Coordinates of all heavy atoms in Angstrom, one line a residue:
M1 N 22.7 -6.9 -34.7 CA 22.2 -6.8 -33.3 C 22.8 -7.8 -32.4 O 23.0 -9.0 -32.8 CB 20.7 -6.9 -33.4 CG 20.0 -5.7 -32.7 SD 18.2 -5.8 -32.9 CE 18.0 -4.8 -34.3
A2 N 23.3 -7.5 -31.3 CA 23.9 -8.4 -30.4 C 22.9 -9.4 -29.8 O 21.8 -9.0 -29.4 CB 24.6 -7.7 -29.2
S3 N 23.3 -10.6 -29.7 CA 22.3 -11.6 -29.2 C 22.4 -11.6 -27.6 O 23.5 -11.3 -27.1 CB 22.6 -13.0 -29.7 OG 23.9 -13.4 -29.2
N4 N 21.4 -11.9 -27.0 CA 21.3 -11.9 -25.5 C 21.9 -13.2 -25.0 O 21.3 -14.3 -25.2 CB 19.9 -11.7 -25.1 CG 19.8 -11.6 -23.6 OD1 20.7 -11.8 -22.9 ND2 18.6 -11.3 -23.1
P5 N 23.1 -13.1 -24.3 CA 23.7 -14.4 -23.8 C 22.8 -15.1 -22.7 O 22.9 -16.3 -22.5 CB 25.0 -13.9 -23.1 CG 24.8 -12.5 -22.9 CD 23.8 -12.0 -23.9
R6 N 21.9 -14.4 -22.1 CA 21.0 -15.0 -21.1 C 20.0 -16.0 -21.8 O 19.4 -16.8 -21.1 CB 20.2 -14.0 -20.4 CG 21.0 -13.3 -19.2 CD 20.2 -12.2 -18.6 NE 20.9 -11.5 -17.6 CZ 20.8 -11.7 -16.3 NH1 20.0 -12.7 -15.8 NH2 21.5 -11.1 -15.4
K7 N 19.9 -15.8 -23.1 CA 18.9 -16.7 -23.8 C 19.7 -17.9 -24.4 O 19.1 -18.8 -25.0 CB 18.2 -16.0 -24.9 CG 17.4 -14.8 -24.3 CD 15.9 -15.1 -24.4 CE 15.1 -13.9 -24.0 NZ 14.7 -13.8 -22.6
G8 N 21.0 -17.9 -24.2 CA 21.8 -18.9 -24.9 C 21.8 -20.3 -24.3 O 21.4 -20.4 -23.1
H9 N 22.3 -21.2 -25.1 CA 22.3 -22.6 -24.6 C 23.2 -22.8 -23.4 O 22.8 -23.5 -22.4 CB 22.9 -23.4 -25.8 CG 23.1 -24.9 -25.4 ND1 22.1 -25.8 -25.2 CD2 24.3 -25.5 -25.2 CE1 22.6 -26.9 -24.9 NE2 23.9 -26.8 -24.9
R10 N 24.4 -22.2 -23.4 CA 25.3 -22.4 -22.2 C 24.7 -21.8 -20.9 O 24.9 -22.3 -19.9 CB 26.6 -21.7 -22.5 CG 27.5 -22.5 -23.5 CD 28.9 -22.0 -23.5 NE 29.5 -22.1 -22.2 CZ 30.6 -21.3 -21.9 NH1 31.1 -20.5 -22.7 NH2 31.1 -21.4 -20.7
Y11 N 23.9 -20.7 -21.1 CA 23.3 -20.1 -19.9 C 22.3 -21.1 -19.3 O 22.2 -21.2 -18.1 CB 22.7 -18.8 -20.2 CG 22.1 -18.1 -19.0 CD1 23.0 -17.5 -18.1 CD2 20.8 -18.0 -18.9 CE1 22.5 -16.9 -17.0 CE2 20.2 -17.3 -17.7 CZ 21.1 -16.8 -16.8 OH 20.6 -16.2 -15.7
R12 N 21.5 -21.7 -20.2 CA 20.5 -22.6 -19.7 C 21.1 -23.8 -19.1 O 20.6 -24.3 -18.1 CB 19.6 -23.0 -20.9 CG 18.6 -22.0 -21.4 CD 17.4 -22.5 -22.1 NE 17.9 -23.4 -23.3 CZ 18.2 -22.9 -24.5 NH1 18.0 -21.6 -24.7 NH2 18.6 -23.7 -25.4
E13 N 22.2 -24.3 -19.6 CA 22.9 -25.4 -19.0 C 23.4 -25.1 -17.6 O 23.3 -25.9 -16.7 CB 24.2 -25.7 -19.8 CG 23.9 -26.3 -21.2 CD 23.9 -27.8 -21.1 OE1 25.0 -28.4 -20.9 OE2 22.8 -28.4 -21.1
L14 N 23.9 -23.9 -17.5 CA 24.4 -23.4 -16.2 C 23.3 -23.3 -15.2 O 23.4 -23.8 -14.0 CB 25.1 -22.0 -16.3 CG 25.7 -21.4 -15.1 CD1 26.8 -22.2 -14.5 CD2 26.1 -20.0 -15.4
C15 N 22.2 -22.8 -15.6 CA 21.0 -22.7 -14.7 C 20.6 -24.1 -14.2 O 20.3 -24.3 -13.1 CB 19.8 -22.1 -15.5 SG 19.9 -20.3 -15.6
R16 N 20.6 -25.0 -15.2 CA 20.2 -26.4 -14.8 C 21.1 -27.0 -13.8 O 20.7 -27.7 -12.9 CB 20.1 -27.2 -16.1 CG 19.3 -28.5 -15.9 CD 18.8 -29.1 -17.1 NE 19.9 -29.4 -18.0 CZ 19.8 -29.2 -19.4 NH1 18.8 -28.6 -19.9 NH2 20.9 -29.5 -20.1
E17 N 22.4 -26.8 -14.0 CA 23.4 -27.3 -13.1 C 23.2 -26.8 -11.7 O 23.3 -27.6 -10.7 CB 24.8 -26.9 -13.6 CG 25.6 -28.1 -14.2 CD 27.0 -27.6 -14.7 OE1 27.9 -27.7 -13.9 OE2 27.1 -27.2 -15.8
V18 N 23.1 -25.5 -11.6 CA 22.9 -24.9 -10.3 C 21.6 -25.4 -9.6 O 21.5 -25.7 -8.5 CB 22.9 -23.3 -10.4 CG1 22.7 -22.7 -9.0 CG2 24.3 -22.9 -10.9
R19 N 20.6 -25.4 -10.5 CA 19.3 -25.9 -10.0 C 19.3 -27.3 -9.5 O 18.8 -27.7 -8.4 CB 18.3 -25.8 -11.1 CG 16.9 -26.3 -10.8 CD 16.0 -26.4 -12.1 NE 15.3 -25.2 -12.4 CZ 14.2 -24.9 -11.8 NH1 13.6 -25.7 -11.0 NH2 13.6 -23.7 -12.1
N20 N 20.1 -28.2 -10.2 CA 20.2 -29.6 -9.8 C 20.9 -29.8 -8.5 O 20.8 -30.8 -7.8 CB 21.0 -30.4 -10.9 CG 20.1 -30.6 -12.1 OD1 18.9 -30.5 -12.0 ND2 20.7 -31.0 -13.2
M21 N 21.7 -28.8 -8.0 CA 22.4 -28.8 -6.7 C 21.4 -28.8 -5.6 O 21.6 -29.3 -4.5 CB 23.4 -27.7 -6.6 CG 24.6 -27.8 -7.5 SD 25.7 -26.4 -7.2 CE 26.6 -26.4 -8.7
G22 N 20.2 -28.1 -5.8 CA 19.2 -28.1 -4.9 C 19.5 -27.3 -3.6 O 19.0 -27.5 -2.5
A23 N 20.4 -26.3 -3.7 CA 20.9 -25.6 -2.6 C 19.9 -24.6 -2.1 O 19.0 -24.2 -2.8 CB 22.2 -24.8 -3.0
P24 N 19.9 -24.2 -0.8 CA 19.1 -23.2 -0.3 C 19.5 -21.8 -0.8 O 20.6 -21.7 -1.4 CB 19.3 -23.2 1.2 CG 20.6 -23.8 1.4 CD 20.8 -24.8 0.3
C25 N 18.7 -20.8 -0.6 CA 18.9 -19.5 -1.2 C 20.3 -19.0 -0.6 O 20.5 -19.0 0.6 CB 17.8 -18.6 -0.8 SG 18.1 -16.9 -1.2
A26 N 21.1 -18.5 -1.5 CA 22.5 -18.0 -1.1 C 22.4 -16.7 -0.4 O 23.3 -16.2 0.3 CB 23.4 -17.8 -2.3
L27 N 21.2 -16.0 -0.5 CA 21.1 -14.7 0.1 C 20.4 -14.7 1.5 O 20.7 -13.9 2.3 CB 20.3 -13.7 -0.9 CG 21.0 -13.6 -2.2 CD1 20.2 -12.7 -3.2 CD2 22.4 -13.0 -2.1
C28 N 19.4 -15.5 1.6 CA 18.7 -15.6 2.9 C 18.8 -16.9 3.6 O 18.4 -17.0 4.8 CB 17.2 -15.1 2.7 SG 16.2 -16.5 2.1
G29 N 19.2 -17.9 2.9 CA 19.4 -19.2 3.5 C 18.1 -20.1 3.6 O 18.2 -21.2 4.1
G30 N 17.0 -19.5 3.1 CA 15.8 -20.2 3.1 C 15.7 -21.2 2.0 O 16.4 -21.1 1.0
P31 N 14.8 -22.2 2.1 CA 14.6 -23.2 1.1 C 14.0 -22.6 -0.2 O 13.0 -21.8 -0.1 CB 13.7 -24.3 1.7 CG 13.0 -23.6 2.8 CD 13.9 -22.5 3.3
I32 N 14.5 -23.0 -1.3 CA 13.9 -22.5 -2.6 C 12.9 -23.5 -3.1 O 13.0 -24.7 -2.9 CB 15.1 -22.4 -3.6 CG1 16.0 -21.2 -3.2 CG2 14.5 -22.1 -5.0 CD1 17.2 -21.0 -4.0
R33 N 11.8 -23.0 -3.7 CA 10.7 -23.8 -4.2 C 11.2 -24.4 -5.6 O 10.8 -23.9 -6.6 CB 9.4 -23.0 -4.3 CG 8.8 -22.6 -3.0 CD 8.1 -23.8 -2.3 NE 7.1 -24.4 -3.2 CZ 5.9 -24.0 -3.4 NH1 5.4 -22.9 -2.7 NH2 5.1 -24.6 -4.2
Y34 N 12.0 -25.5 -5.6 CA 12.4 -26.0 -6.8 C 11.3 -26.7 -7.6 O 11.5 -27.1 -8.7 CB 13.6 -27.0 -6.5 CG 14.9 -26.3 -6.2 CD1 15.3 -26.2 -4.9 CD2 15.6 -25.7 -7.2 CE1 16.5 -25.6 -4.6 CE2 16.8 -25.1 -6.9 CZ 17.3 -25.0 -5.6 OH 18.4 -24.3 -5.4
D35 N 10.2 -26.9 -6.9 CA 9.1 -27.6 -7.6 C 8.4 -26.6 -8.5 O 7.6 -27.1 -9.4 CB 8.1 -28.2 -6.6 CG 7.6 -27.1 -5.6 OD1 8.4 -26.3 -5.1 OD2 6.4 -27.0 -5.4
I36 N 8.6 -25.3 -8.4 CA 8.0 -24.4 -9.3 C 8.8 -24.2 -10.5 O 10.0 -23.8 -10.5 CB 7.9 -23.0 -8.6 CG1 7.1 -23.1 -7.3 CG2 7.2 -22.0 -9.5 CD1 7.1 -21.9 -6.4
T37 N 8.2 -24.6 -11.6 CA 8.9 -24.5 -12.9 C 8.0 -23.9 -14.0 O 6.8 -23.6 -13.7 CB 9.4 -25.9 -13.4 OG1 8.2 -26.8 -13.5 CG2 10.4 -26.5 -12.5
G38 N 8.6 -23.7 -15.1 CA 7.8 -23.1 -16.2 C 7.4 -21.7 -16.0 O 8.1 -21.0 -15.3
P39 N 6.3 -21.2 -16.6 CA 6.0 -19.8 -16.5 C 5.7 -19.3 -15.1 O 6.0 -18.1 -14.8 CB 4.6 -19.7 -17.3 CG 4.5 -21.0 -18.0 CD 5.4 -22.0 -17.4
E40 N 5.3 -20.2 -14.2 CA 5.0 -19.8 -12.8 C 6.3 -19.3 -12.1 O 6.3 -18.4 -11.3 CB 4.5 -21.0 -12.0 CG 3.0 -21.1 -11.9 CD 2.4 -19.7 -11.3 OE1 2.7 -19.4 -10.2 OE2 1.7 -19.1 -12.1
A41 N 7.4 -20.0 -12.5 CA 8.7 -19.6 -11.9 C 9.2 -18.2 -12.2 O 10.0 -17.6 -11.5 CB 9.8 -20.7 -12.3
G42 N 8.6 -17.7 -13.3 CA 9.0 -16.3 -13.7 C 8.4 -15.3 -12.8 O 8.7 -14.1 -12.9
K43 N 7.4 -15.7 -12.0 CA 6.7 -14.7 -11.2 C 6.7 -15.0 -9.7 O 6.5 -14.1 -8.9 CB 5.2 -14.6 -11.6 CG 4.9 -14.7 -13.0 CD 3.4 -14.7 -13.3 CE 2.8 -16.1 -13.2 NZ 1.7 -16.3 -14.1
H44 N 6.9 -16.3 -9.4 CA 6.8 -16.7 -8.0 C 8.0 -16.2 -7.2 O 9.2 -16.4 -7.5 CB 6.7 -18.2 -7.9 CG 6.1 -18.6 -6.5 ND1 6.9 -18.5 -5.4 CD2 4.9 -19.1 -6.2 CE1 6.1 -18.9 -4.4 NE2 4.9 -19.3 -4.9
P45 N 7.8 -15.5 -6.0 CA 8.9 -14.9 -5.2 C 9.8 -16.0 -4.6 O 11.0 -15.7 -4.4 CB 8.2 -14.1 -4.1 CG 6.8 -14.6 -4.1 CD 6.5 -15.1 -5.5
D46 N 9.3 -17.2 -4.4 CA 10.2 -18.2 -3.8 C 10.8 -19.2 -4.8 O 11.5 -20.1 -4.5 CB 9.3 -19.1 -2.8 CG 9.0 -18.3 -1.6 OD1 9.7 -17.3 -1.3 OD2 8.0 -18.7 -0.9
A47 N 10.6 -18.9 -6.1 CA 11.1 -19.7 -7.2 C 12.6 -19.5 -7.3 O 13.2 -18.5 -6.9 CB 10.4 -19.5 -8.5
F48 N 13.2 -20.5 -8.0 CA 14.7 -20.5 -8.2 C 15.1 -19.4 -9.2 O 14.4 -19.3 -10.3 CB 15.1 -21.9 -8.7 CG 16.5 -21.9 -9.4 CD1 17.6 -21.9 -8.6 CD2 16.6 -21.8 -10.7 CE1 18.9 -21.9 -9.2 CE2 17.9 -21.8 -11.3 CZ 19.0 -21.9 -10.6
T49 N 16.1 -18.7 -8.9 CA 16.8 -17.9 -9.9 C 18.3 -18.1 -9.8 O 18.8 -18.5 -8.8 CB 16.5 -16.4 -9.8 OG1 17.0 -15.9 -8.5 CG2 15.1 -16.0 -10.0
L50 N 19.0 -17.9 -10.9 CA 20.4 -17.9 -10.9 C 21.0 -16.6 -10.5 O 20.7 -15.6 -11.1 CB 20.9 -18.3 -12.3 CG 22.4 -18.6 -12.4 CD1 22.7 -20.0 -11.7 CD2 22.8 -18.6 -13.8
D51 N 21.7 -16.6 -9.3 CA 22.3 -15.3 -8.8 C 23.7 -15.3 -9.1 O 24.4 -16.4 -9.1 CB 22.0 -15.2 -7.3 CG 22.6 -13.9 -6.8 OD1 22.3 -12.9 -7.4 OD2 23.3 -13.9 -5.8
H52 N 24.3 -14.2 -9.4 CA 25.7 -14.0 -9.7 C 26.4 -13.4 -8.5 O 26.0 -12.4 -8.0 CB 26.0 -13.2 -10.9 CG 25.6 -14.0 -12.2 ND1 24.3 -13.9 -12.7 CD2 26.2 -14.9 -12.9 CE1 24.2 -14.7 -13.8 NE2 25.4 -15.4 -13.9
V53 N 27.5 -14.1 -8.0 CA 28.2 -13.6 -6.8 C 28.7 -12.2 -7.1 O 28.6 -11.3 -6.3 CB 29.4 -14.5 -6.5 CG1 30.1 -14.0 -5.3 CG2 28.9 -16.0 -6.3
V54 N 29.4 -12.0 -8.2 CA 29.8 -10.7 -8.7 C 28.8 -10.3 -9.8 O 28.7 -11.0 -10.8 CB 31.2 -10.7 -9.3 CG1 31.6 -9.3 -9.8 CG2 32.2 -11.1 -8.2
P55 N 28.0 -9.3 -9.6 CA 27.0 -8.9 -10.6 C 27.5 -8.7 -11.9 O 28.7 -8.2 -12.1 CB 26.3 -7.6 -10.0 CG 26.7 -7.7 -8.5 CD 28.0 -8.4 -8.4
L56 N 26.8 -9.0 -12.9 CA 27.2 -8.8 -14.3 C 27.5 -7.4 -14.6 O 28.5 -7.1 -15.3 CB 26.1 -9.3 -15.3 CG 25.6 -10.7 -15.0 CD1 24.6 -11.1 -16.1 CD2 26.8 -11.7 -15.1
S57 N 26.8 -6.5 -14.0 CA 27.0 -5.0 -14.2 C 28.3 -4.6 -13.6 O 28.8 -3.5 -14.0 CB 25.9 -4.2 -13.6 OG 25.8 -4.5 -12.2
L58 N 28.9 -5.4 -12.7 CA 30.2 -5.1 -12.2 C 31.3 -6.0 -12.7 O 32.4 -6.1 -12.2 CB 30.2 -5.2 -10.6 CG 29.2 -4.3 -9.9 CD1 29.2 -4.6 -8.4 CD2 29.5 -2.8 -10.2
G59 N 31.0 -6.6 -13.9 CA 32.1 -7.3 -14.6 C 32.1 -8.8 -14.2 O 33.0 -9.5 -14.6
G60 N 31.1 -9.3 -13.5 CA 31.0 -10.7 -13.2 C 30.8 -11.6 -14.4 O 30.2 -11.1 -15.4
E61 N 31.2 -12.8 -14.4 CA 31.1 -13.7 -15.5 C 29.7 -14.3 -15.5 O 29.3 -15.0 -14.6 CB 32.2 -14.8 -15.4 CG 33.5 -14.5 -15.9 CD 33.5 -14.2 -17.4 OE1 32.8 -14.9 -18.1 OE2 34.3 -13.3 -17.8
L62 N 29.1 -14.2 -16.7 CA 27.7 -14.7 -16.8 C 27.7 -16.2 -16.8 O 26.9 -16.9 -16.2 CB 27.1 -14.2 -18.1 CG 25.8 -14.8 -18.5 CD1 24.7 -14.3 -17.6 CD2 25.4 -14.5 -20.0
L63 N 28.7 -16.9 -17.4 CA 28.7 -18.3 -17.7 C 29.7 -19.1 -16.8 O 29.9 -20.2 -17.1 CB 28.9 -18.6 -19.2 CG 27.9 -18.0 -20.1 CD1 28.4 -18.1 -21.6 CD2 26.6 -18.6 -19.9
D64 N 30.2 -18.5 -15.8 CA 31.1 -19.1 -14.9 C 30.4 -19.7 -13.7 O 29.8 -19.0 -12.9 CB 32.2 -18.1 -14.4 CG 33.3 -18.8 -13.6 OD1 33.2 -20.0 -13.3 OD2 34.2 -18.1 -13.3
I65 N 30.5 -21.0 -13.5 CA 29.8 -21.7 -12.5 C 30.2 -21.2 -11.1 O 29.5 -21.2 -10.1 CB 29.9 -23.2 -12.6 CG1 29.0 -24.0 -11.6 CG2 31.3 -23.7 -12.4 CD1 27.7 -24.6 -12.1
T66 N 31.5 -20.8 -11.0 CA 32.0 -20.4 -9.7 C 31.4 -19.0 -9.3 O 31.6 -18.5 -8.2 CB 33.5 -20.3 -9.7 OG1 34.0 -19.3 -10.6 CG2 34.1 -21.6 -10.0
N67 N 30.8 -18.3 -10.3 CA 30.2 -17.0 -10.1 C 28.7 -17.2 -10.0 O 28.0 -16.2 -9.9 CB 30.6 -16.0 -11.2 CG 30.2 -14.6 -10.8 OD1 30.4 -14.2 -9.6 ND2 29.7 -13.8 -11.7
A68 N 28.2 -18.4 -10.0 CA 26.8 -18.6 -10.0 C 26.3 -19.4 -8.7 O 27.0 -20.2 -8.2 CB 26.4 -19.5 -11.2
R69 N 25.1 -19.0 -8.3 CA 24.6 -19.7 -7.1 C 23.0 -19.5 -7.1 O 22.5 -18.7 -7.9 CB 25.1 -19.1 -5.8 CG 24.9 -17.6 -5.7 CD 25.7 -17.0 -4.6 NE 25.4 -15.6 -4.5 CZ 25.9 -14.8 -3.6 NH1 26.7 -15.3 -2.7 NH2 25.6 -13.5 -3.6
A70 N 22.4 -20.3 -6.3 CA 20.9 -20.3 -6.3 C 20.4 -19.2 -5.4 O 21.0 -18.9 -4.3 CB 20.4 -21.7 -5.8
A71 N 19.3 -18.6 -5.8 CA 18.7 -17.6 -4.9 C 17.2 -17.5 -5.2 O 16.8 -17.9 -6.3 CB 19.3 -16.2 -5.1
H72 N 16.4 -17.1 -4.3 CA 15.0 -16.8 -4.5 C 14.9 -15.7 -5.5 O 15.7 -14.8 -5.5 CB 14.3 -16.4 -3.2 CG 14.2 -17.4 -2.2 ND1 14.6 -17.2 -0.9 CD2 13.6 -18.6 -2.2 CE1 14.3 -18.3 -0.2 NE2 13.7 -19.2 -1.0
R73 N 13.8 -15.7 -6.3 CA 13.5 -14.6 -7.2 C 13.4 -13.3 -6.4 O 14.0 -12.3 -6.8 CB 12.2 -14.9 -7.9 CG 11.7 -13.7 -8.8 CD 10.7 -14.2 -9.8 NE 11.3 -15.2 -10.6 CZ 12.1 -15.0 -11.6 NH1 12.5 -13.8 -11.9 NH2 12.6 -16.0 -12.3
R74 N 12.7 -13.3 -5.2 CA 12.5 -12.1 -4.5 C 13.9 -11.6 -3.9 O 14.1 -10.4 -3.8 CB 11.5 -12.3 -3.4 CG 11.9 -13.1 -2.2 CD 10.8 -13.3 -1.2 NE 10.8 -14.7 -0.7 CZ 11.4 -15.1 0.3 NH1 12.1 -14.3 1.1 NH2 11.4 -16.3 0.7
C75 N 14.7 -12.5 -3.4 CA 16.0 -12.1 -2.9 C 16.9 -11.6 -3.9 O 17.6 -10.6 -3.7 CB 16.7 -13.3 -2.2 SG 15.8 -13.8 -0.7
N76 N 16.9 -12.2 -5.1 CA 17.8 -11.8 -6.2 C 17.4 -10.4 -6.6 O 18.3 -9.6 -6.8 CB 17.6 -12.8 -7.3 CG 18.8 -12.8 -8.3 OD1 19.6 -11.8 -8.3 ND2 18.9 -13.7 -9.2
S77 N 16.1 -10.2 -6.8 CA 15.7 -8.8 -7.3 C 15.9 -7.8 -6.2 O 16.1 -6.6 -6.5 CB 14.3 -8.9 -7.9 OG 13.4 -9.4 -6.9
A78 N 15.8 -8.2 -4.9 CA 15.9 -7.2 -3.9 C 17.4 -6.8 -3.7 O 17.7 -5.7 -3.2 CB 15.4 -7.7 -2.6
R79 N 18.3 -7.7 -4.0 CA 19.7 -7.5 -3.8 C 20.3 -6.4 -4.7 O 21.2 -5.7 -4.3 CB 20.4 -8.8 -4.0 CG 21.9 -8.7 -3.9 CD 22.5 -10.1 -4.3 NE 23.9 -10.0 -4.4 CZ 24.7 -10.4 -5.4 NH1 24.1 -10.9 -6.4 NH2 26.0 -10.3 -5.4
G80 N 19.8 -6.3 -5.9 CA 20.3 -5.4 -6.9 C 21.7 -5.6 -7.2 O 22.1 -6.8 -7.4
N81 N 22.6 -4.6 -7.1 CA 24.0 -4.8 -7.6 C 25.0 -4.8 -6.5 O 26.2 -4.7 -6.7 CB 24.3 -3.7 -8.6 CG 23.8 -4.0 -9.9 OD1 23.5 -5.1 -10.3 ND2 23.5 -2.9 -10.7
R82 N 24.6 -5.0 -5.3 CA 25.5 -5.1 -4.2 C 26.3 -6.4 -4.3 O 25.8 -7.4 -4.6 CB 24.8 -5.0 -2.8 CG 24.4 -3.6 -2.5 CD 23.4 -3.6 -1.4 NE 22.2 -4.2 -1.8 CZ 21.2 -4.6 -1.1 NH1 21.3 -4.5 0.2 NH2 20.1 -5.2 -1.6
V83 N 27.6 -6.3 -4.0 CA 28.5 -7.5 -4.1 C 28.3 -8.4 -2.9 O 28.2 -9.6 -2.9 CB 29.9 -7.1 -4.3 CG1 30.8 -8.3 -4.3 CG2 30.1 -6.4 -5.6
A84 N 28.3 -7.8 -1.7 CA 28.2 -8.6 -0.5 C 26.8 -9.1 -0.3 O 25.8 -8.4 -0.5 CB 28.5 -7.7 0.7
P85 N 26.7 -10.4 -0.1 CA 25.3 -10.9 0.1 C 24.6 -10.3 1.3 O 25.2 -10.3 2.4 CB 25.6 -12.4 0.3 CG 27.0 -12.6 0.7 CD 27.7 -11.4 0.1
A86 N 23.5 -9.8 1.1 CA 22.7 -9.2 2.2 C 21.9 -10.2 3.0 O 20.9 -10.7 2.5 CB 21.8 -8.1 1.7
R87 N 22.5 -10.7 4.1 CA 21.8 -11.7 4.8 C 20.9 -11.0 5.9 O 21.4 -10.4 6.8 CB 22.8 -12.6 5.5 CG 22.2 -14.0 5.7 CD 23.2 -14.9 6.4 NE 22.5 -16.1 6.7 CZ 22.8 -17.3 6.1 NH1 23.7 -17.4 5.2 NH2 22.1 -18.4 6.5
R88 N 19.6 -11.0 5.7 CA 18.7 -10.2 6.5 C 18.2 -11.0 7.6 O 18.0 -12.2 7.6 CB 17.5 -9.7 5.6 CG 17.9 -9.0 4.4 CD 18.4 -7.6 4.8 NE 18.8 -6.8 3.6 CZ 18.4 -5.6 3.3 NH1 17.5 -5.0 4.1 NH2 18.9 -5.0 2.2
D89 N 17.9 -10.3 8.7 CA 17.2 -10.8 9.8 C 15.8 -11.3 9.3 O 15.1 -10.5 8.7 CB 17.0 -9.7 10.9 CG 16.4 -10.2 12.1 OD1 15.7 -11.2 12.1 OD2 16.5 -9.5 13.2
T90 N 15.4 -12.5 9.6 CA 14.2 -13.0 9.0 C 13.0 -12.4 9.7 O 11.9 -12.5 9.1 CB 14.1 -14.6 9.2 OG1 14.5 -14.9 10.5 CG2 15.0 -15.3 8.2
S91 N 13.2 -11.8 10.8 CA 12.0 -11.1 11.5 C 11.7 -9.8 10.8 O 10.6 -9.2 11.0 CB 12.3 -10.9 12.9 OG 13.3 -9.9 13.1
R92 N 12.6 -9.4 9.9 CA 12.4 -8.1 9.2 C 11.5 -8.3 8.0 O 11.8 -9.3 7.3 CB 13.8 -7.5 8.8 CG 13.7 -6.1 8.5 CD 14.8 -5.4 9.3 NE 15.5 -4.5 8.4 CZ 16.8 -4.4 8.3 NH1 17.6 -5.2 9.0 NH2 17.4 -3.6 7.5
R93 N 10.6 -7.5 7.8 CA 9.7 -7.6 6.6 C 10.3 -6.9 5.4 O 10.8 -5.8 5.5 CB 8.4 -7.0 6.9 CG 7.5 -7.9 7.8 CD 7.0 -8.9 6.9 NE 6.1 -9.9 7.6 CZ 5.9 -11.1 7.1 NH1 6.4 -11.5 6.0 NH2 5.0 -11.9 7.7
W94 N 10.1 -7.6 4.3 CA 10.5 -7.0 3.0 C 9.4 -6.0 2.6 O 8.3 -6.3 2.8 CB 10.7 -8.0 1.9 CG 11.9 -8.8 2.0 CD1 11.9 -10.1 2.5 CD2 13.2 -8.4 1.8 NE1 13.2 -10.5 2.5 CE2 14.0 -9.5 2.1 CE3 13.8 -7.2 1.3 CZ2 15.4 -9.5 1.9 CZ3 15.2 -7.2 1.1 CH2 16.0 -8.3 1.4
Y95 N 9.8 -4.9 2.1 CA 8.8 -4.0 1.5 C 8.5 -4.3 0.1 O 9.5 -4.6 -0.7 CB 9.3 -2.5 1.6 CG 9.4 -2.0 3.0 CD1 10.6 -2.0 3.7 CD2 8.2 -1.6 3.6 CE1 10.6 -1.6 5.0 CE2 8.2 -1.2 4.9 CZ 9.4 -1.2 5.6 OH 9.4 -0.7 6.9
R96 N 7.3 -4.4 -0.2 CA 6.9 -4.6 -1.6 C 6.9 -3.3 -2.4 O 6.5 -2.3 -1.9 CB 5.5 -5.2 -1.7 CG 5.4 -6.6 -1.3 CD 4.2 -7.3 -1.9 NE 4.3 -8.7 -1.8 CZ 4.9 -9.4 -2.8 NH1 5.3 -8.8 -3.9 NH2 5.0 -10.7 -2.7
R97 N 7.5 -3.5 -3.6 CA 7.6 -2.3 -4.5 C 6.3 -2.2 -5.3 O 5.8 -3.3 -5.7 CB 8.8 -2.3 -5.3 CG 9.9 -1.5 -4.6 CD 11.2 -1.6 -5.5 NE 11.9 -2.8 -5.2 CZ 13.1 -3.1 -5.7 NH1 13.6 -2.4 -6.5 NH2 13.6 -4.3 -5.3
Ligands
LIG101 ZN1 16.1 -16.1 -0.3

């Protein structure tokens, strides 16, 4: 059975590196709640996630720091597999699924 690289040591290292930069969300430009960690971060919409500039499904490198950036959980999941960052008008409301 293939092991999941997202659970690997190098992936966690990369996450920590990007997180340590403390950058705003690459998709909407808003501040990320870096104070949210642990199990809460897995559900909180403003929590940090590692976003890939070129999505993995389109051949992007999982472990390349130049393909990694910080994004909100909600922005990352809303973006899906589009390559161009969707910078939305902040007055526009996101629809909840
Ligand atoms: Zn965002």
Side-chain angles (χ1 to χ4, degrees):
M1 236 174 262
S3 68
N4 183 354
R6 280 175 184 263
K7 302 253 187 264
H9 172 73
R10 285 192 58 204
Y11 183 73
R12 286 201 305 273
E13 290 270 287
L14 179 66
C15 283
R16 196 161 59 224
E17 255 180 89
V18 175
R19 176 188 273 274
N20 284 346
M21 291 180 203
C25 175
L27 300 177
C28 78
I32 292 175
R33 293 283 308 275
Y34 284 103
D35 56 312
I36 303 170
T37 54
E40 264 308 296
K43 325 177 270 212
H44 200 289
D46 289 336
F48 164 82
T49 59
L50 190 72
D51 182 48
H52 290 92
V53 181
V54 180
L56 306 180
S57 58
L58 298 179
E61 277 293 326
L62 174 70
L63 297 171
D64 185 353
I65 186 104
T66 64
N67 193 38
R69 57 190 180 176
H72 291 128
R73 175 162 300 284
R74 75 185 135 90
C75 292
N76 199 348
S77 54
R79 175 184 172 232
N81 281 334
R82 281 163 296 166
V83 174
R87 209 179 173 113
R88 303 286 176 129
D89 185 339
T90 45
S91 66
R92 199 128 133 230
R93 280 286 181 199
W94 287 104
Y95 289 100
R96 285 205 161 267
R97 267 176 277 184

